[in-house]
Amino acid sequence: MTDQLLTGGVSQLLSQGLLGVIVVFLLWYAGQLQKRLDAKDEAHKLEIAAERKLNADLQQSRLDDTKALVEVVGSARSAMQAILATLGKQP
């Protein structure tokens, strides 16, 4: 049914001469622009998703680095306390 309406509409426009041809062309061109915009929108969504994944990976990496640093600082603190305790017990 949509094809019949489209064919009927195009034939009505084309029966109007040059103005109808121009209108059909402009409608076709608008459809092509809409397809391009839809493709760009999909590409943009994929790009944003990839960027969000990269950001999440970077945040996780920073978190892992921070945890490792806290562990190193804690072990260094324990070692320093042990050394100070050993030095403090000497006569």
Side-chain angles (χ1 to χ4, degrees), residues 28-47:
W28 172 81
Y29 188 68
Q32 295 299 315
L33 289 177
Q34 185 62 44
K35 286 180 186 178
R36 285 185 197 171
L37 286 175
D38 290 343
K40 281 187 177 184
D41 189 36
E42 287 300 316
H44 184 67
K45 286 179 183 178
L46 292 174
E47 184 180 337

Side-chain angles (χ1 to χ4, degrees), residues 67-83:
K67 286 179 182 178
L69 181 62
V70 166
E71 188 175 313
V72 167
V73 168
S75 64
R77 180 176 175 230
S78 297
M80 291 299 284
Q81 286 176 343
I83 291 171

